[in-house]
Amino acid sequence: MDNIKNIWSSTNQGWRHIIGKMSREKQERIIYRVDNNLLSNPLYENVKSVLDWGCGGGLLSKVLLDKGLDVYVVDLVEHSIKSALNYSVDISYSQLIDEDIEKFKYLGPKPDVIFSHAVIQHFPNYDYFTKVLKIWTEDIKPNYISIHVKLGEETKSAENYKKEFLNGLIFNEDDLIKDFY
């Protein structure tokens, strides 16, 4: 497997939602899509804290903060964490994800929701995906997991980035219980 941290560290910063490298139009499009598909869900009425898994440059962390939520962030790339903290100064907790996902231990406060926007389709393989789900469901144990996988109309892959499973995964509740519970 290619080194996922090296891949993301060398990826175009606009793809990582680094605000200074992204057009205002793209920012608005992403915020609109996430607001309509995730944040408008009634479950967010009961949410007080969110872990933004794969926070990038903090674009959506700021949206979550602006909604009055306590926000914690994790990311693979140190530059992304720094950018998120700079852009969204009220983030309560940040942590770098270990390169070896099996060694990662989330040390922050327990969130009501794990929020993951445009992240899981970039996981290198199914095994990595299941390891992350195990961290989410067995270690962090939020009340909800909120995943948004929307590939852009003109999505491009990072060079030398190979996937061993599909860009999109569809599960029903029985699949999740059978495979990940």
Side-chain angles (χ1 to χ4, degrees):
M1 174 174 76
D2 289 326
N3 181 315
I4 191 168
K5 186 173 274 196
N6 285 344
I7 291 166
W8 275 108
S9 294
S10 63
T11 299
N12 177 309
Q13 292 182 6
W15 291 0
R16 292 196 328 246
H17 297 174
I18 306 299
I19 304 310
K21 304 292 181 179
M22 185 188 301
S23 72
R24 185 69 193 149
E25 178 183 309
K26 182 174 181 179
Q27 291 176 40
E28 289 171 359
R29 186 175 65 244
I30 291 168
I31 291 167
Y32 175 81
R33 200 168 53 219
V34 169
D35 219 10
N36 282 338
N37 293 319
L38 284 181
L39 301 180
S40 63
N41 187 304
L43 80 83
Y44 276 92
E45 294 171 9
N46 302 316
V47 169
K48 294 188 180 11
S49 61
V50 177
L51 171 60
D52 187 353
W53 186 281
C55 65
L59 174 67
L60 297 173
S61 301
K62 177 121 175 53
V63 170
L64 295 164
L65 284 165
D66 290 346
K67 291 187 174 294
L69 301 171
D70 199 14
V71 177
Y72 324 127
V73 298
V74 297
D75 201 284
L76 275 169
V77 180
E78 188 172 357
H79 179 264
S80 292
I81 295 270
K82 287 179 181 177
S83 295
L85 293 172
N86 185 49
Y87 182 69
S88 308
V89 295
D90 292 328
I91 290 172
S92 301
Y93 177 82
S94 65
Q95 185 177 342
L96 201 58
I97 298 173
D98 291 312
E99 190 171 312
D100 181 350
I101 196 64
E102 290 183 283
K103 292 180 181 175
F104 179 73
K105 300 288 182 230
Y106 176 70
L107 303 174
K110 181 183 180 213
D112 294 324
V113 172
I114 293 176
F115 173 89
S116 183
H117 168 73
V119 173
I120 67 168
Q121 73 267 22
H122 298 297
F123 290 170
N125 55 46
Y126 186 77
D127 184 53
Y128 189 93
F129 175 73
T130 59
K131 289 173 183 173
V132 170
L133 278 179
K134 183 177 180 189
I135 291 167
W136 290 355
T137 59
E138 294 181 15
D139 298 342
I140 301 173
K141 300 179 183 175
N143 297 330
Y144 307 101
I145 296 174
S146 183
I147 300 173
H148 193 240
V149 181
K150 166 61 173 85
L151 298 178
E153 290 74 28
E154 298 179 31
T155 297
K156 297 179 176 85
S157 297
E159 289 182 29
N160 300 321
Y161 193 72
K162 298 177 183 174
K163 297 180 185 120
E164 298 172 9
F165 73 110
L166 299 175
N167 280 337
L169 300 171
I170 299 173
F171 296 105
N172 65 29
E173 186 176 2
D174 292 337
D175 291 331
L176 288 171
I177 291 169
K178 175 178 58 92
D179 291 340
F180 303 109
Y181 194 68

